[in-house]
Amino acid sequence: MDYVMRAVRAEEWPLARQLRLEALKDPAAPVAFLESYEDAVAQPGVFWQDRTEAAAESDDVRQFVAESPEGEWVGTVTVLVERPADDVRFGEAPAMDQGHLVGVFLRPEVRGAGVTDALFREAVDWAWSLPAPRLERVRLYVHENNPRAAAFYRRFGFVPSGQRIPAPGGRGEWELEYEIQRGTAGAAGTAQI
């Protein structure tokens, strides 16, 4: 695999915007993302600049991309750092310092090539590398109707935590929490989302 896994750089906001918009057009987008294409495409450039700068330079969030040898971005994942004293983002306030994976997307033409495994290893390794207080787990949510993603997460080493939150939209569907604890991270398989 000749893809490079790396953190985004602040000045790459046009590429970050382009990949996010592409992700929001994916058939799985309605159950995979908490944002619509219409809402995202309407955001001004400064929104994307600020978002990408934070994902490149903050200790509380980091976006990783998979880059082809030609410089094309083919996948992404973002890690949010959540601490018990933080505002609640999803569900309830965390009981411990943790990472939260969001914004997972891989272009269809590279699924099944090991790119998702490499992206997840990069993201989880970054979460474990943060200084004190160190993160004790990394979590993510997957919609109950997104079996492709759930299968990859399990193969990577994430396990259902038993927690769930109502999925946005009020249709009685659920977002299921998966987690990986420090010390058990990533016996990544070959499945791809």
Side-chain angles (χ1 to χ4, degrees), residues 43-79:
Q43 293 291 347
V46 69
F47 168 86
W48 296 100
Q49 290 170 350
D50 291 348
R51 182 174 173 159
T52 307
E53 181 179 346
E57 299 174 0
S58 171
D59 290 334
D60 295 327
V61 59
R62 189 63 39 101
Q63 181 180 3
F64 296 93
V65 294
E67 187 175 58
S68 76
E70 299 77 32
E72 179 183 28
W73 288 9
V74 298
T76 186
V77 63
T78 298
V79 183

Side-chain angles (χ1 to χ4, degrees), residues 165-179:
I165 60 172
R171 296 186 304 264
E173 298 172 333
W174 296 96
E175 294 279 340
L176 310 175
E177 184 187 64
Y178 281 58
E179 68 179 351

Side-chain angles (χ1 to χ4, degrees), residues 26-108:
D26 187 272
V31 296
F33 300 108
L34 301 178
E35 176 180 41
S36 72
Y37 175 84
E38 293 75 21
D39 289 342
V41 77
Q43 293 291 347
V46 69
F47 168 86
W48 296 100
Q49 290 170 350
D50 291 348
R51 182 174 173 159
T52 307
E53 181 179 346
E57 299 174 0
S58 171
D59 290 334
D60 295 327
V61 59
R62 189 63 39 101
Q63 181 180 3
F64 296 93
V65 294
E67 187 175 58
S68 76
E70 299 77 32
E72 179 183 28
W73 288 9
V74 298
T76 186
V77 63
T78 298
V79 183
L80 304 175
V81 175
E82 299 174 321
R83 305 213 185 262
D86 292 345
D87 292 334
V88 175
R89 290 184 182 152
F90 302 92
E92 56 190 46
M96 65 183 73
D97 296 313
Q98 63 188 20
H100 187 146
L101 300 184
V102 298
V104 179
F105 175 70
L106 200 70
R107 288 188 173 161

